Amino acid sequence: MKIDHLGIAVESIEEALAFYRDALGLTLKHTETVADQGVNVAMLPIGESRVELLEPTGPDTPVGKFIAKRGPGIHHICIAVDDIHAKLAELKAAGVQLIDETPRPGAEGCLVAFVHPKGSKGVLIELSQKAGHGE
Ligand code: ZN
C-alpha cells in the first residue's frame, strides 16, 4: 500500500493553483469532473504521491457541504490498494464502519470506496484501486 493522494477541498481550483502550481512549483497533470461526486478534480504529482484539489460543483455536494461546515483544507487521504474488494471485505470483517460497502467509479477510471471517519479516528480514508487491476 502507499498514499495515492491527499485530497484537499478548495473553493476554486484556479485560485488554489496560484499556490500549489505557481508558488510551490508542482505540475498540473490532470483535471476531470467526477459528476457522480459533484466535484472538479485537479491532480498534481508530488514524489510518488499526488495532491488532489477538490472543487465542488455546487453547495449541495459532499465537498460543498464539507467546505461550508469546516472551511477549505485536508478532506481525505487516499490509500492505493491492489484489490479493493478484498480490502473492503477485510475491513468489514474487522467491524470497521464503511461509507461505501461496494466500490464506485472515481477519477482516472479508478475504483474507489470511502471508510467512515469514525473507524479511522476522524480522518476520511479513500481506498483506490487503479484501473485495470483485478476486476
Ligand atoms: Zn481522492
Side-chain angles (χ1 to χ4, degrees):
M1 283 185 280
K2 64 167 193 167
I3 304 284
D4 185 80
H5 62 262
L6 302 171
I8 300 175
V10 301
E11 280 158 350
S12 154
I13 284 176
E14 212 40 57
E15 241 176 67
L17 286 175
F19 171 72
Y20 288 99
R21 181 188 58 196
D22 304 340
L24 193 58
L26 300 180
T27 302
L28 175 60
K29 264 278 155 66
H30 178 79
T31 56
E32 181 177 345
T33 298
V34 183
D36 189 45
Q37 292 170 45
V39 77
N40 297 316
V41 171
M43 287 288 193
L44 299 95
I46 179 164
E48 67 164 11
S49 189
R50 277 112 36 100
V51 167
E52 178 188 57
L53 302 175
L54 301 160
E55 174 193 79
T57 56
D60 205 26
T61 58
V63 175
K65 288 179 193 160
F66 175 92
I67 290 175
K69 203 167 152 193
R70 303 168 66 164
I74 293 259
H75 179 262
H76 65 269
I77 296 175
C78 179
I79 298 171
V81 297
D82 288 334
D83 184 341
I84 195 166
H85 292 95
K87 187 54 76 181
L88 284 172
E90 272 173 47
L91 292 172
K92 208 176 165 186
V96 173
Q97 194 178 335
L98 303 173
I99 292 174
D100 301 304
E101 302 232 337
T102 50
R104 53 189 161 105
E108 300 172 302
C110 289
L111 279 177
V112 303
F114 285 92
V115 178
H116 199 284
K118 234 178 223 171
S120 45
K121 307 300 171 212
V123 179
L124 180 60
I125 301 283
E126 176 182 18
L127 302 174
S128 169
Q129 177 186 314
K130 291 241 175 312
H133 265 261
E135 281 304 276

